[in-house]
Amino acid sequence: MELSARKKLILKTIIGDYIRTAEPVGSKAIASRPELGFSSATIRNEMSELEEMGYLEKPHTSAGRIPSPAGYRLYVDELMGQPNLTAADVDRINSVMKLKVKELDRMVSEAGKLISNLTDYTTLAVTPVMQRVTIRKFQIISVSPVDFVIVAVTDSGVVKNKMLRTSTPVTTDEAELLTYVLNQTLTGIPIDAITPERFDIVRRAAGVTALLTLVAEFLDEFIEEMSEQKVFLQGASKLLAYPEYKDVHKAQELLDYISDESNMPALRTFTRDIDGVRITIGPENGTGPMQNASMVYATYNIGSVGRGLIGIVGPTRMDYAKLSARLALFSKGLNRLIAETFFDED
């Protein structure tokens, strides 16, 4: 059955009304739109055919129709037009992208919070796996003969520090020598290249000191931490504002699912790219709670380290055009900010 221009126009109108009202749309409501110029009988027939084609669904408790995931997909790919923003939208997004944060994790978390406030949706920001990140600098600070603070700063702006307590005293000269050897041996290489064999070079050059074992443990923890994705969930309570998630149990299931970094690959089904933004709708997200939700997401770059993800999660009844336009502008600003903060300093 051919999807005519008239069917597409009616489907677009139904989706627009449903996004605004969250109520099933009937033929009378569509027929009352003077700009369409179609009779109620014509619209009823077209809606019936759209339902047969899988683009509309009919809830049991209503005579009206709602869009199906396939209907939303057609809308996103062909019907919603080029997303655009008002001047007020642009000014608001630009004004909030003035973060003064030097640690990448905090910047990503704050970015998720900002986009949640801008859109009134739940958002998640995901860091990349940073196995290719390099350590820029080590510092060991002597607090007492047995207490030391070790600090590692990466080229992506991550700062890791830990208090170390030795079983026997260590002199300031020994701590300074170990700092020098660490900086000469383990900086400027990917953290996954810091192997036990390479650390043996540090051991031989720095000599036997009570700090060595503690520093090795610190590095193991740091490498493991950098090799894991982090998920920052913001605006979780905003999900409850939508009728589709008035059931708290249903909302909690979705929040638990997207909070688990192991589920991230399921949220990255590649679909049409709209100005750097991708949209996954309902069943496109695989099984689990996301099969009844949608995600509008973009990526951000951390130099050669990899890409992270920032996305908006909510019911399939989303204003995809407005959300994708806002997220596109926001992600471009975030990419510029990361580049200026972490890669334009040296």
Side-chain angles (χ1 to χ4, degrees):
M1 192 179 296
E2 181 184 356
L3 196 63
S4 63
R6 183 166 66 190
K7 283 185 174 66
K8 289 181 179 180
L9 179 58
I10 290 172
L11 178 61
K12 181 178 180 180
T13 304
I14 291 171
I15 291 176
D17 283 2
Y18 186 62
I19 286 172
R20 285 190 296 273
T21 67
E23 296 291 337
V25 181
S27 59
K28 289 183 179 179
I30 302 299
S32 67
R33 306 284 283 273
E35 68 271 19
L36 296 185
F38 306 136
S39 68
S40 293
T42 297
I43 292 172
R44 279 196 301 274
N45 289 336
E46 295 286 27
M47 289 175 68
S48 179
E49 291 182 4
L50 284 167
E51 185 178 356
E52 290 178 14
M53 297 169 75
Y55 295 114
L56 293 177
E57 296 175 349
K58 187 175 182 180
H60 297 300
T61 58
S62 172
R65 307 308 203 279
I66 64 173
S68 69
Y72 281 123
R73 172 50 58 197
L74 181 67
Y75 173 76
V76 167
D77 288 345
E78 297 184 26
L79 305 180
M80 74 179 186
Q82 181 64 35
N84 53 64
L85 294 174
T86 66
D89 286 330
V90 174
D91 288 344
R92 188 180 178 202
I93 292 171
N94 287 336
S95 68
V96 300
M97 285 304 300
K98 294 179 179 177
L99 296 172
K100 300 296 182 183
V101 181
K102 301 297 285 185
E103 293 84 10
L104 181 64
D105 283 2
R106 280 188 59 209
M107 179 177 285
V108 172
S109 176
E110 286 299 311
K113 187 182 299 182
L114 290 173
I115 199 65
S116 179
N117 290 337
L118 284 167
T119 62
D120 284 327
Y121 276 89
T122 300
T123 64
L124 71 161
V126 185
T127 63
V129 175
M130 295 190 183
Q131 290 176 317
R132 303 305 297 174
V133 76
T134 64
I135 296 177
R136 180 187 297 175
K137 181 181 179 181
F138 285 98
Q139 182 68 48
I140 297 177
I141 303 166
S142 177
V143 178
S144 78
V146 295
D147 293 306
F148 300 84
V149 176
I150 184 168
V151 182
V153 182
T154 74
D155 59 348
S156 63
V158 175
V159 179
K160 173 78 171 178
N161 60 75
K162 185 178 182 181
M163 177 69 78
L164 307 178
R165 170 162 287 186
T166 62
S167 56
T168 58
V170 176
T171 67
T172 301
D173 288 345
E174 287 177 312
E176 289 178 353
L177 174 60
L178 181 54
T179 298
Y180 174 79
V181 174
L182 288 170
N183 282 308
Q184 292 297 309
T185 309
L186 303 184
T187 57
I189 61 172
I191 60 171
D192 59 359
I194 301 177
T195 60
E197 292 75 19
R198 183 171 286 272
F199 193 76
D200 279 341
I201 300 173
V202 176
R203 193 184 309 277
R204 291 193 297 271
V208 178
T209 167
L211 270 173
L212 269 174
T213 301
L214 298 176
V215 169
E217 291 174 356
F218 167 82
L219 285 170
D220 286 343
E221 293 171 5
F222 190 35
I223 292 169
E224 182 178 357
E225 183 179 323
M226 288 292 97
S227 299
E228 295 177 351
Q229 288 183 306
K230 298 183 183 69
V231 178
F232 299 100
L233 191 65
Q234 303 289 356
S237 62
K238 296 181 187 294
L239 196 62
L240 301 174
Y242 296 95
E244 294 88 341
Y245 289 97
K246 62 183 178 181
D247 181 340
V248 176
H249 177 68
K250 181 180 178 182
Q252 190 60 54
E253 278 189 333
L254 177 59
L255 294 172
D256 289 344
Y257 183 86
I258 62 178
S259 297
D260 185 347
E261 65 273 8
S262 66
N263 292 322
M264 289 306 102
L267 302 180
R268 295 185 186 182
T269 303
F270 284 116
T271 61
R272 178 190 173 205
D273 187 308
I274 305 172
D275 198 18
V277 174
R278 296 183 184 274
I279 299 169
T280 55
I281 301 168
E284 294 173 358
N285 293 303
T287 59
M290 276 298 295
Q291 67 181 326
N292 296 313
S294 286
M295 183 171 180
V296 181
Y297 66 93
T299 58
Y300 61 89
N301 294 311
I302 306 179
S304 61
V305 174
R307 290 187 174 187
L309 176 151
I310 185 162
I312 299 162
V313 178
T316 54
R317 183 186 57 85
M318 283 184 175
D319 190 337
Y320 294 103
K322 182 181 291 185
L323 292 173
S324 61
R326 288 181 175 178
L327 189 59
L329 181 60
F330 187 88
S331 65
K332 289 174 184 175
L334 181 59
N335 278 316
R336 284 196 304 270
L337 188 63
I338 289 173
E340 292 168 0
T341 303
F342 300 117
F343 302 107
D344 289 348
E345 295 180 342
D346 295 333

